[in-house]
Structure formats: structure tokens, C-alpha cells
Amino acid sequence: MWFAIWGEDAPDSLAARKTTRPDHLARLQQLKEEGRLLVAGPCPAIASSDPGPAGFTGSLIIAEFATLSDAQQWADADPYIAAGVYKQVTVKPFIKALP
């Protein structure tokens, strides 16, 4: 089943996000290679593809896992959590209706 993983950024976490990004992306790349990644990306704090110092408010990942518990365990192991980028992570089942 698909699961939506929403990571909400902590205040002033842009430097930690930049430093930890390669490790975060490596995990997403693995999901992609396994055919389990629907979409992933950050949410800029302003309406710009390059928000500069405004940074980001969080990230959305939609990926396939066998169970909610599996999705939660994967999300809990994200390098952004260990680095203090995410202050909160929410994982919910997701049904792709369109397109």
C-alpha cells in the first residue's frame, strides 16, 4: 500500500537540511530503484523553486510499504530526524486516485 510521509521542518533547520540532504536522498533513491517511490520532494517556505534563505517547511514522500508499521519505521530512520531537520513526522495510508 502507498503511505504519505509528511516531515515538518524545525525552525532554523536549513543548514542541517543542506548538510544531511545526500544521506536523505540516498534512501529515497533506494526506494525508487525498488519501484516503491511514487513522489518525493520538499515544500519551500515561499513560492519559489529556489527559496534561498527562506528554506523549507517540510517534505512529502509517498512510497509503498507492506504495512503502516513498516512505513513508520522507515520514516523514523530518516537522517533528517537524527539531524534535527524534522520536528515532527506523520505517516498515513494513501490511496492514489488520479491520474
Side-chain angles (χ1 to χ4, degrees):
M1 172 161 218
W2 295 112
F3 290 89
I5 301 168
W6 166 249
E8 186 178 350
D9 282 17
D12 301 315
S13 60
L14 183 58
R17 178 183 267 275
K18 288 179 178 180
T19 301
T20 314
R21 188 171 188 258
D23 294 335
H24 172 76
L25 292 179
R27 295 179 81 233
L28 293 172
Q29 183 64 35
Q30 182 179 356
L31 285 178
K32 180 182 175 190
E33 290 170 3
E34 294 169 359
R36 298 172 43 210
L37 182 64
L38 181 64
V39 67
C43 298
I46 60 173
S48 172
S49 61
D50 181 5
F56 300 89
T57 60
S59 301
L60 174 65
I61 300 163
I62 301 178
E64 188 175 33
F65 295 91
T67 67
L68 175 60
S69 177
D70 289 345
Q72 186 69 59
Q73 287 177 353
W74 186 91
D76 289 344
D78 195 298
Y80 279 177
I81 291 176
V85 175
Y86 291 157
K87 68 177 180 181
Q88 180 177 336
V89 175
T90 303
V91 180
K92 294 183 179 188
F94 177 81
I95 297 174
K96 181 183 176 201
L98 294 171

